[in-house]
Amino acid sequence: MAAALFSCCLGCCGDNNSGHVTLKEMPTVQLDTHHMGTDVVIVKSGRRICGTGGCIANAPLHQNKSYFEFKIQSTGVWGLGVATKKANLNQIPMGRDPHSLVLRQDGTVYHNNEEKNRLPANSLPQEGDIVGVTYDHVELNLYLNGKNMNCPASGIRGTVYPVVYVDDSAILDCQFSDFYHTLPHGYQKILFEQQIF
């Protein structure tokens, strides 16, 4: 009996096992190299996009109110917003089908080849600017350097992911945490499904 007890203690607390439970590290939200256009280049640990084409993030927007940001490192042709996995990530500009809802570099917001809204004329994002995106499963809204652009757009259906596309030398960086600006009230960073429950 004492030997069995000693063996159990040794097995639980002794050699090679401290008795601590190893916690599974939560995945990081980043651009998904398995869901990108054929001429896209993703660098900086899944946070920077360059080349030609689009890429979606590796986490869908499950929670009620999501927020994420993009920094325009170099201008050119670009767009950002939300898309389903059915979006054609080789078709630039995006927003021409029912599978993407995007702000384009000219300040227009497109979904299903229809202009849904437009940023104010004096508010076009420039190199170095931060574009924030909120999404609440109905409406996408945009922030420029922390200021609400009051530019809502809707219409996309299904499970959506953050999306970004580039062409013509544009380079954009994604921020899915450690944001440049304060999150709008009630919004939070993107959470993987197992983090929500």
Side-chain angles (χ1 to χ4, degrees), residues 29-31 46 57 68 70 162 174-179 189-190:
V29 179
Q30 61 191 34
L31 294 175
F68 48 98
F70 294 94
C174 310
Q175 285 297 128
F176 297 116
S177 62
D178 304 322
F179 300 112
K189 70 179 183 176
I190 299 165

Side-chain angles (χ1 to χ4, degrees), residues 29 61 63-70 130-136 141-148 162 175-191:
V29 179
L61 304 180
Q63 75 260 33
N64 292 334
K65 294 184 172 188
S66 304
Y67 177 79
F68 48 98
E69 295 174 335
F70 294 94
I130 309 296
V131 179
V133 179
T134 59
Y135 185 71
D136 64 6
N141 210 335
L142 302 160
Y143 293 73
L144 183 60
N145 297 319
K147 182 181 177 194
N148 189 340
Q175 285 297 128
F176 297 116
S177 62
D178 304 322
F179 300 112
Y180 290 99
H181 297 284
T182 304
L183 279 72
H185 180 72
Y187 286 86
Q188 59 185 344
K189 70 179 183 176
I190 299 165
L191 301 174

Side-chain angles (χ1 to χ4, degrees), residues 95-151:
R96 293 194 261 182
D97 60 30
H99 308 297
S100 59
L101 172 62
V102 296
L103 167 68
R104 295 177 176 173
Q105 81 280 350
D106 65 0
T108 58
V109 181
Y110 265 82
H111 170 66
N112 207 14
N113 213 29
E114 179 183 332
E115 185 177 318
K116 293 294 194 172
N117 212 330
R118 177 182 290 266
L119 291 176
N122 60 347
S123 298
L124 293 181
Q126 304 295 316
E127 195 167 294
D129 283 345
I130 309 296
V131 179
V133 179
T134 59
Y135 185 71
D136 64 6
H137 292 280
V138 174
E139 194 171 85
L140 176 136
N141 210 335
L142 302 160
Y143 293 73
L144 183 60
N145 297 319
K147 182 181 177 194
N148 189 340
M149 293 289 97
N150 296 305
C151 187

